[in-house]
Amino acid sequence: MGSVLEGDLSVQEEQGAEGRRRERPLSMRERIPALGLKEYWYPALRAKKVTAKRPVTVQLLGEKLVFFRDDNNEVVALHHTCTHRGASLARADIHFKGKLTCPYHGWTFDGKGNLLAVLGEGPQSTLPGSKGTKMRNYPTRTIKGTVFVWMGDGPAVPPEEDLPFELFDPNIVVMTGQHVWKANWRPGIENFTDSHVYYVHRNSLEVLMQSPPALLTILHQGQNRPPFHVVNGRFLCFKPGEGSVLDYMDREKDDSKAAVTKRGFQDVYPALGGAKWPLSPWRLYVSTVCGLFRNMFKPTGPLSKNPEWGSGSHLPGTLHIDYHRWSYTRYQVPIDEKTTNNYFFCAWRGDTAWQRFFWPLYFRLFFGWKMIRNFSSQDGEMAAITDYSAPERLSQSDLFPREWRRFVVEHARDLKRPTPAA
């Protein structure tokens, strides 16, 4: 599989051997924007953090936005610099309900970015409504307590095209969390199902609590990976029934002992003098003991039969895993080129009062820590030490980063169709 798409016209200048400038095709990796794909909806913050008294500033995709509540008490977003002389609205005042006033000269805007008054000039000012005074407004939508913002220059698409289906199901309970990584968003999304899983996460509770067959599958999967396919031009996932590791995770198998006996837990490496890895089989014993806990949470079937939201990666940079009883979503939101905000959604069905009470409590006391702080933070540590521009020598187990890059280049709105400038 080549690293450059056939017919790719994107070019980059480089220094030739004779000192002359020449152009070469950009690889798929180089075409993926360091600050993220802009023509999409992104989670920004919890709505409860935005009060009627003070604005809140959030940086997404290299841009600073200021959030406040408009006349209808809905959270809206404007660009953070005033159109007058560039003063930051991070320190803006809210003297009037639903209006934002620049702290420098008193330019006052509504939720759509229209200039309504200039307090420094008085009511006779001729500036309101004149050309060049309107602030950039970013479309927002508050769903289940989270404010989502459209970052693109083009018209906003319906949020249902980009956001997890759980957010639109009234019977599903959604809990959220955030964790900032000191890393670019691209290596953070590209490690899905490659060979790092058992090595990096070998001491995480998420791995140790898998059943013995799942643990063996993660450990012994080797270089080969099941094929991927694209759903609706927005979701990249394993082809159903191809035997991916996700088919084994969070499930108990009747042949657990037989699988362990047949393969063995430790591999022998002749090049290392016959040394074994893992060094000890203790993780297998922990997995067996954890079976008592797993039996309390038997899978009940997938949350949705929608093939676009199974287990895989969704544009613009979302990892979604359907564990059948619950689902886990990690939304990669670039802050700048060196920092990424990981916005998490953990969802369960809340068909009964007991479910609506138990699952949020379980998330706060255990599951949220296990998935966000214990498991995903290990991915963040590896992404932070990865030089995304360094030369690569990919393995067969790196099928996902290959396919993800091709998927982005061929299907992302930013690269598929140019959008007009704001």
Side-chain angles (χ1 to χ4, degrees), residues 71-236:
D71 291 334
N72 299 318
N73 202 36
E74 295 292 333
V75 179
V76 294
L78 301 178
H79 195 265
H80 85 110
T81 54
C82 181
T83 50
H84 180 207
R85 286 165 59 182
S88 174
L89 297 180
R91 295 177 56 187
D93 298 299
I94 300 179
H95 299 299
F96 317 100
K97 180 182 178 182
K99 313 297 189 297
L100 199 65
T101 300
C102 176
Y104 197 177
H105 298 92
W107 285 39
T108 302
F109 303 91
D110 65 12
K112 295 182 179 180
N114 298 308
L115 178 64
L116 303 180
V118 179
L119 303 185
E121 294 187 359
Q124 70 276 14
S125 175
T126 60
L127 283 170
S130 63
K131 185 178 180 180
T133 60
K134 186 174 182 178
M135 292 283 296
R136 177 176 177 179
N137 165 268
Y138 294 78
T140 56
R141 178 89 175 268
T142 301
I143 306 172
K144 290 198 174 181
T146 295
V147 180
F148 294 87
V149 59
W150 172 262
M151 295 299 297
D153 296 326
V157 304
E160 290 81 358
E161 291 189 19
D162 293 350
L163 306 182
F165 78 93
E166 295 94 332
L167 296 171
F168 305 98
D169 189 328
N171 295 319
I172 290 183
V173 178
V174 177
M175 303 295 294
T176 63
Q178 296 184 59
H179 193 200
V180 175
W181 292 355
K182 295 181 179 179
N184 187 262
W185 75 282
R186 294 168 297 179
I189 191 70
E190 288 187 1
N191 70 356
F192 178 55
T193 71
D194 67 13
S195 60
H196 87 282
V197 175
Y198 184 80
Y199 189 76
V200 172
H201 300 300
R202 62 188 183 274
N203 293 330
S204 69
L205 284 180
E206 174 65 9
V207 167
L208 294 176
M209 292 179 66
Q210 297 302 320
S211 65
L215 199 62
L216 285 168
T217 303
I218 297 171
L219 174 61
H220 298 309
Q221 197 171 14
Q223 289 187 313
N224 297 322
R225 292 295 184 273
F228 287 87
H229 75 140
V230 176
V231 180
N232 296 336
R234 298 189 291 254
F235 190 61
L236 181 67

Side-chain angles (χ1 to χ4, degrees), residues 281-298:
W282 69 267
R283 294 177 183 85
L284 181 62
Y285 306 145
V286 173
S287 171
T288 303
V289 172
C290 285
L292 301 175
F293 182 76
R294 285 193 304 272
N295 290 334
M296 298 171 57
F297 301 100
K298 289 285 188 181

Side-chain angles (χ1 to χ4, degrees), residues 22 32 60 103 177 213 247 253-254 261 272 331 338 357 364:
R22 65 186 182 186
I32 301 176
L60 302 92
D247 292 334
K253 296 287 185 178
D254 295 333
T261 302
L272 299 178
Y331 218 118
K338 298 181 178 180
F357 166 78
R364 292 189 180 96

